[in-house]
Amino acid sequence: MFGKNIRLERIIDRESGNAVIVPMDHGISIGPIKGIIDMKRTVNAVSGGGATAVLMQKGLIPYGHRTAGNDVGLILHLSASTNIGSTSDFKVLVSSVEEALKLGADAVSMHVNLGADSEPHMLSDLGKVSKDCAEWGVPLLVMAYARGPSVKDPFDPENVAHCARVATELGADLIKVNYTGDPDSFRTVTEGALAPVLIAGGPKMGSDMDILNMVQGSIEAGGRGVSIGRNIFQHRDPRAMTEAVSRIVLRGATAEEAARLLK
């Protein structure tokens, strides 16, 4: 556990214990979208804005991580699918904990969709990866969502709380879930999860204040940070947006205070 704790401190803020993670693994699922073309520029921008870690697939590491002096933490994403076919909810393993260590990653992540037809396979993979993480002392971030033919509302607090608890019970050190829309309902998620909970950013939102209010609400409810991709790296000023989010998550600022950095 000592090695895992050392690595965990590389992807979180040591003072607050919270995390601002910027995932950049979208290219494998939806293609080379704006914001993740010039990887060096984007990684340097979010690092300069105070992100504690970035997250990416193994092939992107040579194109952007720790360049121009940035020392942001690195999380290697181990699972993938594309939206080209009909199996986008089925995340399969494309890397391993051992490969992550060889590539210099500080942690690994996996995506599981509860409610998908492939749920048993993804849970089995998660169990195996969790075992490897314990063996090698590598922190595990689990992205857990309710997605599938029987899921009516992926933001339903009961569904989100169940997803978070599954991640904890299978060994997650950090959990990424959907925000349920308000602090009161999200508090049931953080309390039931036990392990630290981060919120996803979701699709690109309509305004900066929508994002910042969501972040503030999640922290008020006991959340321990964010894992926001498009709403940061596709922002008109990714560095400033990262800094605004970081002020809320790591320094306790309000959304209104953080918004001043974007004017």
Side-chain angles (χ1 to χ4, degrees):
M1 289 298 293
F2 188 64
K4 179 176 280 194
N5 289 339
I6 289 174
R7 293 186 176 97
L8 193 60
E9 286 190 343
R10 297 175 187 159
I11 63 169
I12 65 173
D13 176 67
R14 295 183 183 183
E15 184 177 337
S16 65
N18 292 350
V20 175
I21 298 170
V22 182
M24 302 179 185
D25 59 315
H26 304 65
I28 201 164
S29 55
I30 58 178
I33 59 176
K34 177 186 175 183
I36 53 172
I37 305 298
D38 187 340
M39 291 295 296
K40 290 183 180 181
R41 181 177 181 180
T42 301
V43 172
N44 287 336
V46 303
S47 175
T52 59
V54 294
L55 182 153
M56 60 186 71
Q57 296 283 358
K58 57 186 176 182
L60 288 184
I61 294 173
Y63 296 97
H65 188 63
R66 289 181 181 154
T67 59
N70 80 63
D71 194 33
V72 68
L74 174 62
I75 303 173
L76 181 67
H77 199 44
L78 303 186
S79 56
S81 68
T82 79
N83 68 352
I84 294 176
S86 60
T87 57
S88 60
D89 285 342
F90 187 2
K91 302 295 181 178
V92 298
L93 286 177
V94 293
S95 189
S96 67
V97 174
E98 292 90 341
E99 188 171 20
L101 290 172
K102 292 176 183 177
L103 291 169
D106 303 305
V108 298
S109 62
M110 277 195 66
H111 181 152
V112 295
N113 290 318
L114 303 182
D117 293 337
S118 53
E119 177 190 302
H121 187 104
M122 288 184 281
L123 289 177
S124 178
D125 281 347
L126 176 56
K128 294 172 184 175
V129 168
S130 178
K131 179 177 181 294
D132 289 342
C133 284
E135 176 72 19
W136 291 100
V138 176
L140 172 61
L141 165 65
V142 176
M143 307 175 183
Y145 302 105
R147 292 180 183 171
S150 64
V151 177
K152 295 180 180 179
D153 181 5
F155 300 94
D156 175 75
E158 186 173 339
N159 283 339
V160 176
H162 193 171
C163 288
R165 187 58 181 237
V166 167
T168 299
E169 300 222 3
L170 289 180
D173 299 292
L174 295 170
I175 304 163
K176 174 180 177 177
V177 294
N178 286 325
Y179 184 56
T180 54
D182 62 84
D184 287 340
S185 64
F186 196 65
R187 192 169 288 110
T188 66
V189 177
T190 62
E191 291 176 348
L194 304 182
V197 177
L198 315 178
I199 60 164
K204 200 165 187 311
M205 298 177 74
S207 75
D208 293 343
M209 285 306 302
D210 286 343
I211 302 165
L212 298 179
N213 283 326
M214 176 181 70
V215 173
Q216 180 181 338
S218 72
I219 297 299
E220 289 175 354
R224 301 301 298 274
V226 303
S227 178
I228 295 178
R230 282 167 287 186
N231 284 299
I232 286 181
F233 66 68
Q234 289 191 327
H235 192 269
R236 65 185 181 278
D237 188 340
R239 177 172 179 147
M241 190 61 184
T242 307
E243 187 174 359
V245 170
S246 296
R247 288 286 181 91
I248 298 170
V249 174
L250 308 182
R251 304 293 174 254
T254 65
E256 290 75 16
E257 290 168 342
R260 295 171 191 157
L261 297 168
L262 301 173
K263 295 179 180 179

